[in-house]
Amino acid sequence: MFDHFPFFPEAASTIAPEVDKLYLFMVVVCGGVSLLVGVLVIYFAIVYRRRPENEIPVEYEPYHLMEALWIIIPGIVFIGMFLWGAKIFFMMSSVPRDALEINVTGRQWMWKFQHMGGQSEINQLHVPIGRPVKLLMSSEDVIHSFYVPAFRQKTDVLPRRVTTYWFQATKTGTFHLFCAEYCGTNHSGMVGWVTVMQAADYQAWLGGGTEGSPVVEGKRLFDHYACNTCHTNDTTARGPVLAGLFGSTVSLRGGAKAVADENYIHESILNSQVKIVDGFEPIMPLFQGQMSESQVLQLIAYIKSLTPQKAAIPPISNQTPGTSVANPGTAPANSRTR
Ligand code: CUA
């Protein structure tokens, strides 16, 4: 909508015109009020200046109605701005259910993307037009921030936490991606491109993938770390059943509840001691420092894929013996943290 304005980046997402409208409204209102105040200050200073050296100002009681109006009208305008902004914030925060999920990890100083089909990219992200895309983001080291000006959206990428960023592209083309949080020497070089493609082109592009999908890789990690020793599909097992866990509400020891979203699973993998599921012992080893963030995101993808219908965890048969984490009764596996 404001593409023809100088200094305005292209608008290429469904959110972008909403942000632009609010931004323009705020610039016009605040600019107009500043201008009016500035002009009146100068005008009054000249017209009502003291003329004789010893002039005494007249006592003056301002109109109450006038006072009330200049409180009420700006009050309504500013609360309106807040509500308008809140509405856009909610649009940005509520991810459509059918969104295409892509894992994102930030590290000094690059962006890594993994599609659910297994395709990986560095500093390049290919997405289809007209379809909600949900980025599940985490950082391997320090705080980064994922920012695509054309989408008018920016979200911090944090270590030990999953943040989400969703958008629906409305234009094909390539759009600049920036890291918007100072993250060290080459922060300014932590840039990339988001390429928005027609659905058919995107499908063709996906066809080139070779690596295992996050779900497949997650399953591999799940077996590697012998998670299935305790997380069997049996309710009497030492660990909670994971099939159907994602999105459900979990009862915790002490009576609290938690929604099993990406962040909950992330925390439960890396530091299982924070939220103990009611009825279970805190015996799960800590995996903090044991795996990379992209691996955690793959495990999350795998756990999300487990639905109660398809009992996706096969019975344990040929476990690799000797991995220390396979024995949950022993010392926490993070005893060799860095
Ligand atoms: Cu990453 Cu700045």
Side-chain angles (χ1 to χ4, degrees):
M1 145 180 218
F2 304 109
D3 280 1
H4 50 284
F5 279 24
F7 312 120
F8 253 79
E10 229 179 317
S13 77
T14 49
I15 295 283
E18 305 301 319
V19 174
D20 286 354
K21 275 182 248 170
L22 174 58
Y23 180 70
L24 188 71
F25 177 78
M26 287 168 68
V27 167
V28 167
V29 169
C30 299
V33 170
S34 305
L35 199 66
L36 182 70
V37 169
V39 166
L40 288 181
V41 164
I42 294 167
Y43 174 76
F44 288 157
I46 294 167
V47 172
Y48 299 107
R49 70 186 186 277
R50 187 168 63 175
R51 293 208 170 79
E53 244 333 86
N54 55 355
E55 185 176 348
I56 306 288
V58 191
E59 280 290 334
Y60 166 71
E61 176 80 4
Y63 301 115
H64 290 297
L65 178 66
M66 198 188 211
E67 276 198 335
L69 284 180
W70 76 48
I71 292 168
I72 292 167
I73 293 173
I76 291 171
V77 171
F78 283 108
I79 288 170
M81 280 182 192
F82 168 75
L83 291 176
W84 192 349
K87 186 183 144 227
I88 296 175
F89 180 78
F90 279 114
M91 283 170 73
M92 286 175 171
S93 326
S94 40
V95 188
R97 282 199 169 272
D98 59 337
L100 182 73
E101 295 189 349
I102 298 171
N103 287 348
V104 180
T105 38
R107 61 184 302 175
Q108 291 167 319
W109 290 276
M110 60 157 92
W111 295 104
K112 190 182 161 203
F113 302 95
Q114 192 175 24
H115 296 257
M116 289 302 152
Q119 300 80 359
S120 294
E121 327 183 56
I122 303 280
N123 294 341
Q124 292 277 348
L125 173 62
H126 289 78
V127 292
I129 190 172
R131 172 146 182 220
V133 175
K134 176 185 182 185
L135 305 180
L136 293 163
M137 311 190 295
S138 191
S139 166
E140 303 281 6
D141 37 48
V142 299
I143 299 176
H144 304 277
S145 189
F146 190 92
Y147 180 37
V148 181
F151 297 160
R152 303 289 190 276
Q153 220 170 323
K154 180 172 73 174
T155 302
D156 279 5
V157 179
L158 308 166
R160 297 185 296 280
R161 206 182 299 178
V162 183
T163 51
T164 58
Y165 180 109
W166 90 267
F167 62 91
Q168 181 169 332
T170 54
K171 258 185 205 171
T172 56
T174 48
F175 305 101
H176 237 308
L177 154 67
F178 294 98
C179 176
E181 183 72 53
Y182 181 68
C183 57
T185 315
N186 293 334
H187 154 73
S188 63
M190 194 171 163
V191 293
W193 296 94
V194 178
T195 304
V196 178
M197 313 168 89
Q198 292 294 347
D201 296 339
Y202 178 69
Q203 282 310 320
W205 180 86
L206 279 182
T210 46
E211 277 183 70
S213 71
V215 173
V216 170
E217 291 295 305
K219 166 80 173 84
R220 213 178 48 74
L221 290 163
F222 198 82
D223 294 343
H224 173 73
Y225 287 104
C227 309
N228 47 9
T229 326
C230 298
H231 295 286
T232 66
N233 232 351
D234 185 346
T235 44
T236 61
R238 278 179 295 186
V241 170
L242 299 181
L245 168 71
F246 183 71
S248 67
T249 302
V250 180
S251 301
L252 303 176
R253 183 176 281 193
K257 302 256 187 226
V259 173
D261 56 9
E262 285 94 355
N263 240 324
Y264 170 86
I265 299 174
H266 188 279
E267 180 184 60
S268 300
I269 294 169
L270 293 186
N271 189 355
S272 58
Q273 309 300 310
V274 179
K275 295 190 175 80
I276 304 291
V277 178
D278 199 21
F280 291 89
E281 292 304 314
I283 55 171
M284 179 168 156
L286 310 181
F287 288 93
Q288 192 81 66
Q290 303 283 307
M291 53 179 92
S292 71
E293 282 296 330
S294 51
Q295 288 179 317
V296 181
L297 290 175
Q298 290 169 337
L299 268 173
I300 293 173
Y302 171 63
I303 290 166
K304 283 164 76 174
S305 76
L306 302 175
T307 53
Q309 289 79 19
K310 48 168 184 180
I313 308 170
I316 321 132
S317 50
N318 50 350
Q319 270 315 305
T320 327
T323 42
S324 65
V325 291
N327 196 341
T330 57
N334 74 335
S335 48
R336 52 186 173 97
T337 48
R338 288 164 286 174

